[in-house]
């Protein structure tokens, strides 16, 4: 990690360079409510292990987690149902297919390839055990992000529910093969809600710092997630976290990361640091154009590349 006094300058420079490429993509529109995002928004937060924080741009604007929720639901499933159960219904292999692909289920294996594609995440959400699964999910997110105000965006949730027929198809296909552990309607409702929980880049940097420190919040010293679970989640983030751009991203950025179509990227640094970006303009793979550019520059200049 670079000299502390130089980090803000590196972040400012990465931000300025990333602003130049925002014209190369578009805001997600397949969920109507997401199309309302401001394409000029861009921000980032770097949180060092010792708690020093560096921010730029729209680091404090809330957006919905979308696919980033898949890392939290995986943690919740591993905590409540355990490793054996979870990985009996979902695999741990990368896929070259798009995040909402149905092809693989019909052609290759009834067990979704990994927990970070839609089919895998829907299976994982069905395996979560508990009395109030969504409320417990929000509490987990609040704890890992260090913010007890984190909550659902009702408008995005309804928008997803209204337009989620592809996810419904996936869930019913999984149900037809006896993969789902709870009824499809109940599972999908939790899945749509989880995707629609709002966070900021600052919240996600806090989360990434917990993952970077093996599940311990360095601010309080409290263990929030078992280290075995953290290792599983980080490994999957590295290989599968950026949709069908995961290989190229790992080559350029080299940090376990997860993106969401809401525009967020969360990345685990090598030295106990957490980094997150927000920029709703997405490339064709569904990843934030500005966010990727910022991550590329930070990884090189702050030496957070893990290899
Ligand atoms: N809620 C979105 C969906 O299931 C999440 C997709 C994403 O962020 O990749 O379509």
């Amino acid at each position: 990690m670079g000299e502390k006094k130089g980090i803000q300058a590196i972040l400012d420079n990465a931000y300025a360079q990333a602003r130049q490429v925002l014209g190369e993509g578009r805001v997600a529109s397949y969920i109507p409510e997401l199309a309302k995002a401001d394409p000029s928004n861009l921000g980032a937060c770097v949180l060092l292990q010792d708690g020093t924080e560096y921010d730029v741009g729209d680091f404090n604007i809330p957006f919905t987690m979308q696919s980033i929720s898949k890392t939290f639901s995986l943690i919740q499933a591993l905590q409540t149902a355990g490793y054996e159960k979870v990985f009996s219904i979902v695999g741990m292999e990368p896929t070259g297919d798009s995040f909402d692909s149905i092809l693989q289920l019909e052609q290759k294996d009834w067990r979704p390839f990994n927990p970070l594609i839609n089919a895998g995440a829907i299976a994982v959400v069905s395996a979560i055990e508990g009395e109030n699964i969504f409320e417990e999910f929000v509490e987990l997110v609040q704890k890992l992000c260090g913010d007890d105000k984190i909550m659902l965006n009702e408008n995005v949730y309804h928008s997803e529910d209204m337009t989620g027929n592809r996810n419904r198809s996936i869930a019913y296909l999984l149900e037809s093969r006896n993969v789902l552990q709870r009824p499809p309607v109940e599972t999908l409702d939790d899945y749509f809600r989880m995707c629609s929980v709002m966070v900021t880049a600052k919240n996600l940097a806090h989360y990434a710092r917990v993952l970077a420190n093996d599940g311990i919040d360095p601010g309080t010293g409290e263990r929030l997630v078992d280290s075995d679970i953290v290792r599983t989640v980080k490994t999957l983030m590295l290989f599968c976290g950026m949709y069908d751009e995961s290989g190229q991203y790992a080559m350029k950025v080299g940090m376990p990361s997860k993106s969401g179509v809401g525009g967020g990227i969360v990345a685990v640094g090598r030295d106990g640091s957490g980094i997150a970006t927000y920029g709703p303009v997405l490339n064709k793979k569904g990843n934030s154009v500005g966010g990727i550019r910022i991550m590329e520059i930070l990884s090189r200049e702050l030496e957070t590349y893990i290899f």
Side-chain angles (χ1 to χ4, degrees):
M1 183 66 78
E3 281 298 303
K4 278 192 189 173
K5 62 180 182 316
I7 295 177
Q8 187 65 46
I10 290 170
L11 187 57
D12 291 342
N13 171 49
Y15 172 80
Q17 289 196 43
R19 289 217 73 87
Q20 311 287 321
V21 297
L22 293 187
E24 292 173 15
R26 300 175 63 177
V27 166
S29 57
Y30 76 104
I31 298 170
E33 201 62 26
L34 293 184
K36 296 184 180 164
D38 180 349
S40 71
N41 280 165
L42 184 66
C45 176
V46 176
L47 195 55
L48 303 192
Q49 190 177 40
D50 69 4
T52 317
E53 180 182 328
Y54 301 89
D55 305 307
V56 69
D58 302 313
F59 70 95
N60 231 351
I61 288 193
F63 55 92
T64 55
M65 288 202 282
Q66 297 299 331
S67 215
I68 296 170
S69 67
K70 292 165 181 162
T71 65
F72 293 97
S73 52
L74 177 61
I75 292 174
Q76 192 182 6
L78 290 168
Q79 285 178 335
T80 60
Y83 187 94
E84 297 298 327
K85 174 84 194 175
V86 169
F87 288 103
S88 69
I89 57 164
V90 68
M92 47 181 77
E93 297 300 336
T95 147
D97 298 328
S98 66
F99 67 94
D100 59 355
S101 177
I102 287 179
L103 277 178
Q104 174 238 327
L105 297 174
E106 259 311 86
Q107 292 185 339
K108 298 178 187 155
D109 190 356
W110 54 265
R111 208 174 58 137
F113 267 25
N114 68 66
L116 302 185
I117 53 169
N118 286 12
I122 291 168
V124 165
V125 169
S126 82
I128 297 172
E129 293 174 8
E131 291 287 305
N132 298 296
I133 287 172
F134 179 67
E135 284 72 18
E136 285 156 18
F137 172 86
V138 174
E139 280 163 24
L140 178 70
V141 174
Q142 290 176 337
K143 221 155 110 180
L144 292 175
C145 291
D147 182 350
D148 59 11
K149 302 212 169 38
I150 285 174
M151 57 188 236
L152 176 71
N153 181 324
E154 293 276 351
N155 292 338
V156 174
Y157 159 59
H158 289 299
S159 192
E160 291 219 28
D161 190 23
M162 301 282 286
T163 56
N165 285 334
R166 202 171 168 86
N167 287 323
R168 274 189 195 93
S169 312
I170 291 174
Y172 281 95
L173 204 51
L174 291 173
E175 171 73 356
S176 76
R177 302 291 180 119
N178 300 318
V179 178
L180 289 195
Q181 306 296 300
R182 291 190 288 142
V185 171
E186 195 183 310
T187 301
L188 283 165
D189 192 56
D190 281 334
Y191 172 78
F192 291 141
R193 285 174 190 270
M194 289 169 178
C195 288
S196 308
V197 168
M198 281 185 297
V199 289
T200 63
K202 179 176 166 149
N203 292 152
L204 291 179
H206 193 285
Y207 170 45
R209 188 173 69 138
V210 173
L211 295 181
N213 288 281
D214 228 19
I216 292 173
D217 179 342
T220 61
E222 191 188 349
R223 172 164 294 286
L224 301 179
V225 187
D226 282 354
S227 99
D228 284 352
I229 294 181
V230 172
R231 197 172 66 174
T232 303
V233 173
K234 285 197 291 196
T235 308
L236 286 163
M237 285 168 75
L238 184 67
F239 290 114
C240 319
M242 303 295 286
Y243 310 119
D244 41 339
E245 196 177 5
S246 297
Q248 194 184 337
Y249 177 91
M251 195 72 91
K252 283 195 203 151
V253 176
M255 288 189 276
S257 300
K258 183 74 201 88
S259 61
V261 295
I265 303 179
V266 57
V268 181
R270 187 178 57 173
D271 42 16
S273 61
I275 305 178
T277 57
Y278 170 55
V281 170
L282 309 180
N283 65 17
K284 288 208 171 66
K285 305 284 189 186
N287 292 317
S288 169
V289 167
I292 289 194
R293 183 53 61 93
I294 291 177
M295 290 298 184
E296 279 170 11
I297 297 170
L298 294 184
S299 139
R300 189 175 62 237
E301 303 206 0
L302 301 180
E303 296 172 3
T304 52
Y305 201 96
I306 62 169
F307 299 106

